[in-house]
Amino acid sequence: MNAVKGTNRLILDDMRWYLMLFSLITLMLTAVYLAVGFIFDVAFTTQLFGPMYGGICAFAVAGLITLYPVAIGLGSTRIQFLKSFYLISAWMVVGTITILNVIYLIMHLLHEAGWLGVTFYQLGRLHSSHYQFLSYLWIDLMIGFLVLGLSIVLTVCWIRLGMRNFLILFFGLGLILTLAFVMSDLSALVKWFTSINILVFATVLGALSWGLILCTYPMMKNAPLTMKGRRE
């Protein structure tokens, strides 16, 4: 097995593990909601996307921190690792969101048939209150890519800056954004958000997320194998 196939196999096996783990968590959570609905004969609205988006985030963070030095140690180049990681991360998002929306579709059909009182909130409802499988799937997919992009960017900054500098930068930017929101009139922003096409907006966010991901390429292609210490 050459270095390229070995790198792909290493990342793919890790991706499969995270995909199965968080899919299982989501299925178990679905079973709990269904049991509550059937046993107590109640109708309520809840959500399932939390664990799936959490799985995307966990794979991005753990993959860069743990798999990066292992892949380089096994003979892969940094550039090859990044290409493989970006590609397989995209498949992680596609697989995760597809599984999530298949579950949503089954639950929606059961609800429409009158067999289920539990409904699941989807981000696609911001676009249309009427269930649309493809539109809902696309919006979830774009948000999944956004979660992936933010997770990769923050992890790369952590790796390159070290914990101390990263925390200073993170909390500094967080403070600036918080003050900007608190001291600004958000009514215009809310009015703008309610007037836009959510499907287009989600697509733009998905495209911007890939811009963020590609920005990490020059940051990581010469990155050290070990993270900086707490005091660096």
Side-chain angles (χ1 to χ4, degrees), residues 166-195:
F166 172 76
L167 290 177
I168 292 173
L169 178 63
F170 181 79
F171 286 111
L173 290 176
L175 178 61
I176 293 173
L177 290 175
T178 300
L179 292 175
F181 274 102
V182 171
M183 300 177 66
S184 301
D185 181 10
L186 299 180
S187 59
L189 180 62
V190 173
K191 183 179 179 180
W192 170 80
F193 184 78
T194 55
S195 65

PDB file of all heavy atoms in Angstrom, residues 166-195:
ATOM      1  N   PHE A 166      -4.208  31.393  20.749  1.00  0.00           N
ATOM      2  CA  PHE A 166      -5.514  31.101  20.176  1.00  0.00           C
ATOM      3  C   PHE A 166      -6.639  31.601  21.085  1.00  0.00           C
ATOM      4  O   PHE A 166      -7.606  32.213  20.619  1.00  0.00           O
ATOM      5  CB  PHE A 166      -5.670  29.598  19.943  1.00  0.00           C
ATOM      6  CG  PHE A 166      -7.064  29.188  19.530  1.00  0.00           C
ATOM      7  CD1 PHE A 166      -7.509  29.412  18.238  1.00  0.00           C
ATOM      8  CD2 PHE A 166      -7.920  28.592  20.441  1.00  0.00           C
ATOM      9  CE1 PHE A 166      -8.788  29.047  17.856  1.00  0.00           C
ATOM     10  CE2 PHE A 166      -9.203  28.220  20.066  1.00  0.00           C
ATOM     11  CZ  PHE A 166      -9.636  28.447  18.780  1.00  0.00           C
ATOM     12  N   LEU A 167      -6.513  31.344  22.376  1.00  0.00           N
ATOM     13  CA  LEU A 167      -7.553  31.785  23.310  1.00  0.00           C
ATOM     14  C   LEU A 167      -7.632  33.304  23.372  1.00  0.00           C
ATOM     15  O   LEU A 167      -8.726  33.877  23.462  1.00  0.00           O
ATOM     16  CB  LEU A 167      -7.283  31.209  24.699  1.00  0.00           C
ATOM     17  CG  LEU A 167      -7.485  29.692  24.844  1.00  0.00           C
ATOM     18  CD1 LEU A 167      -7.126  29.237  26.246  1.00  0.00           C
ATOM     19  CD2 LEU A 167      -8.918  29.296  24.504  1.00  0.00           C
ATOM     20  N   ILE A 168      -6.475  33.972  23.323  1.00  0.00           N
ATOM     21  CA  ILE A 168      -6.475  35.435  23.312  1.00  0.00           C
ATOM     22  C   ILE A 168      -7.209  35.954  22.083  1.00  0.00           C
ATOM     23  O   ILE A 168      -8.050  36.850  22.156  1.00  0.00           O
ATOM     24  CB  ILE A 168      -5.029  35.978  23.357  1.00  0.00           C
ATOM     25  CG1 ILE A 168      -4.388  35.668  24.715  1.00  0.00           C
ATOM     26  CG2 ILE A 168      -5.015  37.486  23.100  1.00  0.00           C
ATOM     27  CD1 ILE A 168      -2.921  36.026  24.788  1.00  0.00           C
ATOM     28  N   LEU A 169      -6.884  35.372  20.916  1.00  0.00           N
ATOM     29  CA  LEU A 169      -7.534  35.786  19.672  1.00  0.00           C
ATOM     30  C   LEU A 169      -9.016  35.455  19.682  1.00  0.00           C
ATOM     31  O   LEU A 169      -9.856  36.289  19.308  1.00  0.00           O
ATOM     32  CB  LEU A 169      -6.847  35.101  18.491  1.00  0.00           C
ATOM     33  CG  LEU A 169      -7.444  35.382  17.097  1.00  0.00           C
ATOM     34  CD1 LEU A 169      -7.315  36.861  16.759  1.00  0.00           C
ATOM     35  CD2 LEU A 169      -6.760  34.525  16.043  1.00  0.00           C
ATOM     36  N   PHE A 170      -9.362  34.253  20.147  1.00  0.00           N
ATOM     37  CA  PHE A 170     -10.747  33.797  20.139  1.00  0.00           C
ATOM     38  C   PHE A 170     -11.620  34.672  21.034  1.00  0.00           C
ATOM     39  O   PHE A 170     -12.681  35.153  20.615  1.00  0.00           O
ATOM     40  CB  PHE A 170     -10.810  32.335  20.591  1.00  0.00           C
ATOM     41  CG  PHE A 170     -12.193  31.753  20.598  1.00  0.00           C
ATOM     42  CD1 PHE A 170     -12.782  31.335  19.420  1.00  0.00           C
ATOM     43  CD2 PHE A 170     -12.912  31.635  21.781  1.00  0.00           C
ATOM     44  CE1 PHE A 170     -14.064  30.804  19.413  1.00  0.00           C
ATOM     45  CE2 PHE A 170     -14.186  31.101  21.784  1.00  0.00           C
ATOM     46  CZ  PHE A 170     -14.763  30.686  20.602  1.00  0.00           C
ATOM     47  N   PHE A 171     -11.175  34.884  22.274  1.00  0.00           N
ATOM     48  CA  PHE A 171     -11.989  35.672  23.193  1.00  0.00           C
ATOM     49  C   PHE A 171     -11.973  37.149  22.821  1.00  0.00           C
ATOM     50  O   PHE A 171     -12.943  37.871  23.076  1.00  0.00           O
ATOM     51  CB  PHE A 171     -11.503  35.473  24.633  1.00  0.00           C
ATOM     52  CG  PHE A 171     -11.877  34.135  25.197  1.00  0.00           C
ATOM     53  CD1 PHE A 171     -10.917  33.171  25.453  1.00  0.00           C
ATOM     54  CD2 PHE A 171     -13.203  33.824  25.467  1.00  0.00           C
ATOM     55  CE1 PHE A 171     -11.260  31.927  25.965  1.00  0.00           C
ATOM     56  CE2 PHE A 171     -13.566  32.586  25.975  1.00  0.00           C
ATOM     57  CZ  PHE A 171     -12.586  31.632  26.228  1.00  0.00           C
ATOM     58  N   GLY A 172     -10.868  37.619  22.211  1.00  0.00           N
ATOM     59  CA  GLY A 172     -10.830  38.997  21.746  1.00  0.00           C
ATOM     60  C   GLY A 172     -11.846  39.256  20.651  1.00  0.00           C
ATOM     61  O   GLY A 172     -12.613  40.232  20.702  1.00  0.00           O
ATOM     62  N   LEU A 173     -11.873  38.371  19.652  1.00  0.00           N
ATOM     63  CA  LEU A 173     -12.859  38.506  18.582  1.00  0.00           C
ATOM     64  C   LEU A 173     -14.280  38.317  19.107  1.00  0.00           C
ATOM     65  O   LEU A 173     -15.209  39.008  18.673  1.00  0.00           O
ATOM     66  CB  LEU A 173     -12.570  37.484  17.483  1.00  0.00           C
ATOM     67  CG  LEU A 173     -11.307  37.712  16.647  1.00  0.00           C
ATOM     68  CD1 LEU A 173     -11.093  36.566  15.670  1.00  0.00           C
ATOM     69  CD2 LEU A 173     -11.377  39.034  15.903  1.00  0.00           C
ATOM     70  N   GLY A 174     -14.439  37.370  20.055  1.00  0.00           N
ATOM     71  CA  GLY A 174     -15.756  37.153  20.650  1.00  0.00           C
ATOM     72  C   GLY A 174     -16.263  38.380  21.379  1.00  0.00           C
ATOM     73  O   GLY A 174     -17.446  38.728  21.285  1.00  0.00           O
ATOM     74  N   LEU A 175     -15.367  39.064  22.091  1.00  0.00           N
ATOM     75  CA  LEU A 175     -15.746  40.277  22.813  1.00  0.00           C
ATOM     76  C   LEU A 175     -16.138  41.389  21.852  1.00  0.00           C
ATOM     77  O   LEU A 175     -17.141  42.092  22.061  1.00  0.00           O
ATOM     78  CB  LEU A 175     -14.586  40.735  23.701  1.00  0.00           C
ATOM     79  CG  LEU A 175     -14.801  42.021  24.501  1.00  0.00           C
ATOM     80  CD1 LEU A 175     -15.976  41.859  25.465  1.00  0.00           C
ATOM     81  CD2 LEU A 175     -13.529  42.400  25.259  1.00  0.00           C
ATOM     82  N   ILE A 176     -15.362  41.542  20.769  1.00  0.00           N
ATOM     83  CA  ILE A 176     -15.665  42.577  19.777  1.00  0.00           C
ATOM     84  C   ILE A 176     -17.020  42.327  19.120  1.00  0.00           C
ATOM     85  O   ILE A 176     -17.845  43.242  18.973  1.00  0.00           O
ATOM     86  CB  ILE A 176     -14.552  42.635  18.713  1.00  0.00           C
ATOM     87  CG1 ILE A 176     -13.247  43.132  19.337  1.00  0.00           C
ATOM     88  CG2 ILE A 176     -14.959  43.543  17.557  1.00  0.00           C
ATOM     89  CD1 ILE A 176     -12.060  43.057  18.394  1.00  0.00           C
ATOM     90  N   LEU A 177     -17.284  41.067  18.744  1.00  0.00           N
ATOM     91  CA  LEU A 177     -18.564  40.738  18.107  1.00  0.00           C
ATOM     92  C   LEU A 177     -19.729  40.928  19.073  1.00  0.00           C
ATOM     93  O   LEU A 177     -20.800  41.410  18.692  1.00  0.00           O
ATOM     94  CB  LEU A 177     -18.527  39.297  17.600  1.00  0.00           C
ATOM     95  CG  LEU A 177     -17.603  39.026  16.406  1.00  0.00           C
ATOM     96  CD1 LEU A 177     -17.574  37.541  16.088  1.00  0.00           C
ATOM     97  CD2 LEU A 177     -18.051  39.828  15.182  1.00  0.00           C
ATOM     98  N   THR A 178     -19.508  40.559  20.346  1.00  0.00           N
ATOM     99  CA  THR A 178     -20.567  40.716  21.348  1.00  0.00           C
ATOM    100  C   THR A 178     -20.918  42.179  21.547  1.00  0.00           C
ATOM    101  O   THR A 178     -22.101  42.562  21.578  1.00  0.00           O
ATOM    102  CB  THR A 178     -20.127  40.105  22.687  1.00  0.00           C
ATOM    103  OG1 THR A 178     -19.847  38.717  22.513  1.00  0.00           O
ATOM    104  CG2 THR A 178     -21.227  40.263  23.737  1.00  0.00           C
ATOM    105  N   LEU A 179     -19.895  43.014  21.667  1.00  0.00           N
ATOM    106  CA  LEU A 179     -20.133  44.449  21.830  1.00  0.00           C
ATOM    107  C   LEU A 179     -20.808  45.040  20.608  1.00  0.00           C
ATOM    108  O   LEU A 179     -21.679  45.913  20.722  1.00  0.00           O
ATOM    109  CB  LEU A 179     -18.804  45.168  22.103  1.00  0.00           C
ATOM    110  CG  LEU A 179     -18.137  44.873  23.456  1.00  0.00           C
ATOM    111  CD1 LEU A 179     -16.782  45.560  23.543  1.00  0.00           C
ATOM    112  CD2 LEU A 179     -19.034  45.318  24.604  1.00  0.00           C
ATOM    113  N   ALA A 180     -20.410  44.555  19.424  1.00  0.00           N
ATOM    114  CA  ALA A 180     -21.018  45.062  18.196  1.00  0.00           C
ATOM    115  C   ALA A 180     -22.511  44.735  18.143  1.00  0.00           C
ATOM    116  O   ALA A 180     -23.333  45.579  17.752  1.00  0.00           O
ATOM    117  CB  ALA A 180     -20.305  44.478  16.984  1.00  0.00           C
ATOM    118  N   PHE A 181     -22.869  43.515  18.565  1.00  0.00           N
ATOM    119  CA  PHE A 181     -24.276  43.123  18.571  1.00  0.00           C
ATOM    120  C   PHE A 181     -25.059  43.876  19.628  1.00  0.00           C
ATOM    121  O   PHE A 181     -26.190  44.304  19.412  1.00  0.00           O
ATOM    122  CB  PHE A 181     -24.407  41.613  18.794  1.00  0.00           C
ATOM    123  CG  PHE A 181     -24.318  40.818  17.528  1.00  0.00           C
ATOM    124  CD1 PHE A 181     -23.147  40.156  17.189  1.00  0.00           C
ATOM    125  CD2 PHE A 181     -25.403  40.719  16.673  1.00  0.00           C
ATOM    126  CE1 PHE A 181     -23.056  39.423  16.018  1.00  0.00           C
ATOM    127  CE2 PHE A 181     -25.331  39.983  15.502  1.00  0.00           C
ATOM    128  CZ  PHE A 181     -24.150  39.334  15.171  1.00  0.00           C
ATOM    129  N   VAL A 182     -24.476  44.025  20.819  1.00  0.00           N
ATOM    130  CA  VAL A 182     -25.178  44.672  21.930  1.00  0.00           C
ATOM    131  C   VAL A 182     -25.410  46.152  21.648  1.00  0.00           C
ATOM    132  O   VAL A 182     -26.478  46.707  21.960  1.00  0.00           O
ATOM    133  CB  VAL A 182     -24.371  44.496  23.234  1.00  0.00           C
ATOM    134  CG1 VAL A 182     -24.970  45.351  24.347  1.00  0.00           C
ATOM    135  CG2 VAL A 182     -24.362  43.036  23.661  1.00  0.00           C
ATOM    136  N   MET A 183     -24.436  46.806  21.041  1.00  0.00           N
ATOM    137  CA  MET A 183     -24.502  48.248  20.848  1.00  0.00           C
ATOM    138  C   MET A 183     -25.114  48.650  19.507  1.00  0.00           C
ATOM    139  O   MET A 183     -25.233  49.840  19.211  1.00  0.00           O
ATOM    140  CB  MET A 183     -23.093  48.845  20.959  1.00  0.00           C
ATOM    141  CG  MET A 183     -22.434  48.598  22.302  1.00  0.00           C
ATOM    142  SD  MET A 183     -20.737  49.218  22.405  1.00  0.00           S
ATOM    143  CE  MET A 183     -21.027  50.991  22.272  1.00  0.00           C
ATOM    144  N   SER A 184     -25.495  47.672  18.691  1.00  0.00           N
ATOM    145  CA  SER A 184     -26.050  47.972  17.376  1.00  0.00           C
ATOM    146  C   SER A 184     -27.560  47.794  17.376  1.00  0.00           C
ATOM    147  O   SER A 184     -28.123  47.061  18.195  1.00  0.00           O
ATOM    148  CB  SER A 184     -25.426  47.071  16.307  1.00  0.00           C
ATOM    149  OG  SER A 184     -24.028  47.236  16.259  1.00  0.00           O
ATOM    150  N   ASP A 185     -28.196  48.451  16.444  1.00  0.00           N
ATOM    151  CA  ASP A 185     -29.629  48.287  16.231  1.00  0.00           C
ATOM    152  C   ASP A 185     -29.819  47.102  15.280  1.00  0.00           C
ATOM    153  O   ASP A 185     -29.498  47.179  14.095  1.00  0.00           O
ATOM    154  CB  ASP A 185     -30.213  49.557  15.627  1.00  0.00           C
ATOM    155  CG  ASP A 185     -31.719  49.448  15.417  1.00  0.00           C
ATOM    156  OD1 ASP A 185     -32.318  48.466  15.919  1.00  0.00           O
ATOM    157  OD2 ASP A 185     -32.293  50.328  14.745  1.00  0.00           O
ATOM    158  N   LEU A 186     -30.330  46.011  15.821  1.00  0.00           N
ATOM    159  CA  LEU A 186     -30.443  44.782  15.037  1.00  0.00           C
ATOM    160  C   LEU A 186     -31.749  44.676  14.265  1.00  0.00           C
ATOM    161  O   LEU A 186     -31.979  43.682  13.586  1.00  0.00           O
ATOM    162  CB  LEU A 186     -30.307  43.567  15.972  1.00  0.00           C
ATOM    163  CG  LEU A 186     -28.983  43.443  16.736  1.00  0.00           C
ATOM    164  CD1 LEU A 186     -28.993  42.195  17.613  1.00  0.00           C
ATOM    165  CD2 LEU A 186     -27.805  43.400  15.774  1.00  0.00           C
ATOM    166  N   SER A 187     -32.597  45.666  14.392  1.00  0.00           N
ATOM    167  CA  SER A 187     -33.892  45.587  13.705  1.00  0.00           C
ATOM    168  C   SER A 187     -33.726  45.529  12.192  1.00  0.00           C
ATOM    169  O   SER A 187     -34.442  44.793  11.505  1.00  0.00           O
ATOM    170  CB  SER A 187     -34.760  46.795  14.089  1.00  0.00           C
ATOM    171  OG  SER A 187     -34.106  48.011  13.739  1.00  0.00           O
ATOM    172  N   ALA A 188     -32.763  46.289  11.668  1.00  0.00           N
ATOM    173  CA  ALA A 188     -32.525  46.262  10.216  1.00  0.00           C
ATOM    174  C   ALA A 188     -32.000  44.901   9.784  1.00  0.00           C
ATOM    175  O   ALA A 188     -32.369  44.392   8.715  1.00  0.00           O
ATOM    176  CB  ALA A 188     -31.531  47.364   9.833  1.00  0.00           C
ATOM    177  N   LEU A 189     -31.132  44.300  10.620  1.00  0.00           N
ATOM    178  CA  LEU A 189     -30.594  42.982  10.304  1.00  0.00           C
ATOM    179  C   LEU A 189     -31.691  41.924  10.305  1.00  0.00           C
ATOM    180  O   LEU A 189     -31.742  41.067   9.420  1.00  0.00           O
ATOM    181  CB  LEU A 189     -29.498  42.608  11.311  1.00  0.00           C
ATOM    182  CG  LEU A 189     -28.834  41.245  11.128  1.00  0.00           C
ATOM    183  CD1 LEU A 189     -28.125  41.172   9.779  1.00  0.00           C
ATOM    184  CD2 LEU A 189     -27.854  40.960  12.267  1.00  0.00           C
ATOM    185  N   VAL A 190     -32.574  41.998  11.307  1.00  0.00           N
ATOM    186  CA  VAL A 190     -33.684  41.045  11.396  1.00  0.00           C
ATOM    187  C   VAL A 190     -34.622  41.208  10.209  1.00  0.00           C
ATOM    188  O   VAL A 190     -35.084  40.221   9.611  1.00  0.00           O
ATOM    189  CB  VAL A 190     -34.449  41.236  12.720  1.00  0.00           C
ATOM    190  CG1 VAL A 190     -35.703  40.370  12.746  1.00  0.00           C
ATOM    191  CG2 VAL A 190     -33.558  40.906  13.910  1.00  0.00           C
ATOM    192  N   LYS A 191     -34.893  42.471   9.841  1.00  0.00           N
ATOM    193  CA  LYS A 191     -35.768  42.725   8.693  1.00  0.00           C
ATOM    194  C   LYS A 191     -35.148  42.185   7.415  1.00  0.00           C
ATOM    195  O   LYS A 191     -35.842  41.610   6.565  1.00  0.00           O
ATOM    196  CB  LYS A 191     -36.018  44.232   8.576  1.00  0.00           C
ATOM    197  CG  LYS A 191     -36.978  44.604   7.466  1.00  0.00           C
ATOM    198  CD  LYS A 191     -37.211  46.112   7.422  1.00  0.00           C
ATOM    199  CE  LYS A 191     -38.164  46.476   6.292  1.00  0.00           C
ATOM    200  NZ  LYS A 191     -38.399  47.953   6.237  1.00  0.00           N
ATOM    201  N   TRP A 192     -33.839  42.375   7.268  1.00  0.00           N
ATOM    202  CA  TRP A 192     -33.148  41.865   6.079  1.00  0.00           C
ATOM    203  C   TRP A 192     -33.191  40.338   6.029  1.00  0.00           C
ATOM    204  O   TRP A 192     -33.448  39.740   4.984  1.00  0.00           O
ATOM    205  CB  TRP A 192     -31.699  42.345   6.091  1.00  0.00           C
ATOM    206  CG  TRP A 192     -30.848  41.687   5.041  1.00  0.00           C
ATOM    207  CD1 TRP A 192     -30.787  41.998   3.722  1.00  0.00           C
ATOM    208  CD2 TRP A 192     -29.953  40.577   5.233  1.00  0.00           C
ATOM    209  NE1 TRP A 192     -29.906  41.152   3.069  1.00  0.00           N
ATOM    210  CE2 TRP A 192     -29.379  40.278   3.969  1.00  0.00           C
ATOM    211  CE3 TRP A 192     -29.568  39.833   6.346  1.00  0.00           C
ATOM    212  CZ2 TRP A 192     -28.455  39.247   3.811  1.00  0.00           C
ATOM    213  CZ3 TRP A 192     -28.659  38.809   6.187  1.00  0.00           C
ATOM    214  CH2 TRP A 192     -28.107  38.528   4.928  1.00  0.00           C
ATOM    215  N   PHE A 193     -32.966  39.699   7.182  1.00  0.00           N
ATOM    216  CA  PHE A 193     -32.932  38.239   7.224  1.00  0.00           C
ATOM    217  C   PHE A 193     -34.289  37.641   6.882  1.00  0.00           C
ATOM    218  O   PHE A 193     -34.375  36.600   6.234  1.00  0.00           O
ATOM    219  CB  PHE A 193     -32.477  37.772   8.610  1.00  0.00           C
ATOM    220  CG  PHE A 193     -32.317  36.282   8.726  1.00  0.00           C
ATOM    221  CD1 PHE A 193     -31.201  35.647   8.212  1.00  0.00           C
ATOM    222  CD2 PHE A 193     -33.290  35.509   9.347  1.00  0.00           C
ATOM    223  CE1 PHE A 193     -31.050  34.273   8.307  1.00  0.00           C
ATOM    224  CE2 PHE A 193     -33.151  34.133   9.444  1.00  0.00           C
ATOM    225  CZ  PHE A 193     -32.024  33.520   8.922  1.00  0.00           C
ATOM    226  N   THR A 194     -35.350  38.285   7.338  1.00  0.00           N
ATOM    227  CA  THR A 194     -36.693  37.755   7.070  1.00  0.00           C
ATOM    228  C   THR A 194     -37.133  37.990   5.625  1.00  0.00           C
ATOM    229  O   THR A 194     -38.110  37.387   5.178  1.00  0.00           O
ATOM    230  CB  THR A 194     -37.715  38.408   8.017  1.00  0.00           C
ATOM    231  OG1 THR A 194     -37.638  39.840   7.897  1.00  0.00           O
ATOM    232  CG2 THR A 194     -37.437  38.007   9.463  1.00  0.00           C
ATOM    233  N   SER A 195     -36.420  38.856   4.912  1.00  0.00           N
ATOM    234  CA  SER A 195     -36.819  39.171   3.538  1.00  0.00           C
ATOM    235  C   SER A 195     -36.015  38.413   2.480  1.00  0.00           C
ATOM    236  O   SER A 195     -36.399  38.414   1.306  1.00  0.00           O
ATOM    237  CB  SER A 195     -36.680  40.677   3.283  1.00  0.00           C
ATOM    238  OG  SER A 195     -35.317  41.079   3.369  1.00  0.00           O
TER     239      SER A 195
END
